[in-house]
Amino acid sequence: MLIDEGTIARRVAELGERITEDYRGRDLVLVAILKGSLTFTADLMRRIALPLSVDFLEACSYGSSTDSSGAVRVLKDLANPIEGRDVLIVEDVLDSGLTLNKVTEHLRAKSPASLRLVTLLDKPARRRVAITPDYRGFEIPNEFVVGYGLDHAERHRNLPFIGVLRPEAANRG
Ligand code: IMP
Ligand code: MG
């Protein structure tokens, strides 16, 4: 166990309060990056006391199951235009930054009024491109984590807490 349910909930509430202050009077669209940020988005949106909309984007990066290769592809694009709107990308974990780099480029081409990033987890030690989140839940060490939406080979997303995957479990797949 790395971060328990209560700690996650308190931090998500704090992030929601800050986002509420910052986006008052704006035209907020949350763009959840599937599938990992599903849980975080569901909790965070209920802590933002503003009118907002939610859209989804699914990206995949090639590579081994615990390391992304850098080649990123958009599997599912947004359902609605974001031109002129205030977009907040909601991500589960910022690791190398390669995925978010591509996603940001992809979204910027759609001409939003503003584009910012909230990530629940940040592993700055792993960064390969210069990306800094505008809001971040927790800075974590360089470990592969699962739970609260995060998977390893599509498993463990339903754990209510965030835990470190044991190397034996990672090898078993
Ligand atoms: P990046 O492109 O290396 O920043 O990787 C971002 C994506 O890799 C995230 O959206 C996750 O899907 C996945 N990822 C990175 N680190 C972890 C982890 O510790 N656990 C589960 N998924 C991770
Ligand atoms: Mg993933």
Side-chain angles (χ1 to χ4, degrees), residues 56 104 153:
F56 302 94
T104 302

Side-chain angles (χ1 to χ4, degrees), residues 68 91-93 95-99 123 143-145 150-151:
S68 78
E91 179 61 304
D92 52 359
V93 54
D95 188 36
S96 70
L98 292 167
T99 307
K123 293 193 223 177
E143 307 243 40
F144 197 84
V145 294
L150 292 132
D151 73 304

